[in-house]
Amino acid sequence: MSDDVVISKKNAGYYAADLVKDGMIIGLGTGSTVFYAMERLSVRIKEEGLNIKGVPTSFQTAMRARDYGIPLTTLDDYPKLDLAIDGADQIDPNLCMIKGRGAAQTRERCVAQAAEKFVVVADEGKLCDVLSAVVPVELIPFSFGLVVERLKELSGNPKVREGVKKDGPVITDNGCIEIDCDFGEIKDAKALQMEINNIPGVLSCGLFTEFGEKTVVVVGKTDGVKTL
Ligand SMILES: O=C[C@H](O)[C@H](O)[C@H](O)COP(=O)(O)O
């Protein structure tokens, strides 16, 4: 990651963290950009006495939140969240996006759904005219063969995501398998999302097309941010 990207991610994360108000219950997404937001939140907790609770979308985010002194809670205790802060892999002009590089898209979708406002933090390199990045798909192991077959029929060229320092597939925080699909340029992201998510055994794919109205994208740049 270049220095410019690091600075851009940090600017986006810090800006989003400053949108958080005292008493809020917030969703904490997964990924390097969200971690900058959490870094800033931890400073605000210490310096301002900011009183918040976060619902983490992954084991990694929960661990980081504990390191940062951000109190955690669950969707069972708070099924409605004031705001969720999360990253993205690619964002189009309609604020449709692809997520799930970290295989956390299912919990990220739950938290985004629960939140009144969805604040997406990203660097400029994530913006695109047409979505074309790899689309992650999380599925229960029982349904593996069926899901692969259906994804092939959708011309998704499915590939099992392999673990690092572990042989075989990535097993997600939900005990499921992650598959990456390459659809090339995606003409109708909403329709594709529905088709994939309707395959029996699929938990959730990384296409996020349903949150446009409550989404604010904070695009980090080297000299500040712009919001979409
Ligand atoms: O599963 C991972 C998430 O969808 C991330 O939010 C996304 O991949 C962006 O990550 P990063 O901020 O590290 O680029």
Side-chain angles (χ1 to χ4, degrees):
M1 207 187 303
S2 75
D3 286 353
D4 281 359
V5 172
V6 170
I7 293 166
S8 301
K9 286 184 178 214
K10 192 169 179 174
N11 284 339
Y14 276 37
Y15 182 95
D18 285 339
L19 298 175
V20 175
K21 296 193 172 66
D22 201 47
M24 279 188 168
I25 311 296
I26 64 170
L28 298 170
T30 296
S32 54
T33 323
V34 171
F35 286 169
Y36 285 116
M38 289 165 63
E39 183 179 86
R40 171 77 187 133
L41 285 171
S42 89
V43 171
R44 291 191 60 200
I45 288 168
K46 282 183 202 111
E47 291 183 355
E48 297 169 29
L50 183 75
N51 176 27
I52 56 165
K53 284 181 186 159
V55 176
T57 53
S58 64
F59 191 81
Q60 189 192 41
T61 295
M63 286 198 302
R64 186 64 71 101
R66 287 192 188 98
D67 289 347
Y68 281 152
I70 301 172
L72 294 177
T73 185
T74 64
L75 281 182
D76 294 335
D77 289 324
Y78 293 97
K80 286 188 179 166
L81 307 175
D82 295 297
L83 177 154
I85 303 176
D86 206 346
D89 302 321
Q90 218 176 26
I91 305 163
D92 80 6
N94 299 315
L95 308 190
C96 293
M97 51 194 91
I98 295 178
K99 292 175 50 50
R101 180 204 47 78
Q105 74 272 9
T106 301
R107 293 188 189 192
E108 291 176 336
R109 169 164 274 117
C110 297
V111 160
Q113 178 67 245
E116 207 172 301
K117 203 166 179 184
F118 188 36
V119 180
V120 176
V121 287
D123 58 276
E124 283 186 298
K126 304 286 183 65
L127 302 180
C128 68
D129 291 329
V130 182
L131 296 174
S132 63
V134 157
V135 177
V137 179
E138 184 177 12
L139 57 124
I140 60 170
F142 178 80
S143 193
F144 177 76
L146 172 71
V147 175
V148 167
E149 213 40 48
R150 293 285 182 275
L151 291 171
K152 279 184 188 163
E153 285 164 17
L154 292 172
S155 306
N157 192 19
K159 297 234 166 14
V160 173
R161 193 181 296 184
E162 298 281 330
V164 176
K165 295 193 181 178
K166 184 255 179 205
D167 293 342
V170 164
I171 303 300
T172 69
D173 290 359
N174 305 311
C176 291
I177 294 172
E178 190 84 351
I179 286 182
D180 289 316
C181 292
D182 181 359
F183 294 96
E185 291 202 345
I186 299 171
K187 301 224 162 32
D188 188 343
K190 204 174 268 289
L192 183 60
Q193 176 185 324
M194 274 180 58
E195 282 200 85
I196 298 174
N197 284 350
N198 280 341
I199 302 171
V202 166
L203 260 68
S204 186
C205 76
L207 284 162
F208 279 50
T209 63
E210 68 270 52
F211 301 119
E213 280 182 8
K214 63 176 175 184
T215 299
V216 178
V217 178
V218 180
V219 183
K221 305 190 294 174
T222 48
D223 59 352
V225 301
K226 67 177 176 191
T227 55
L228 308 174

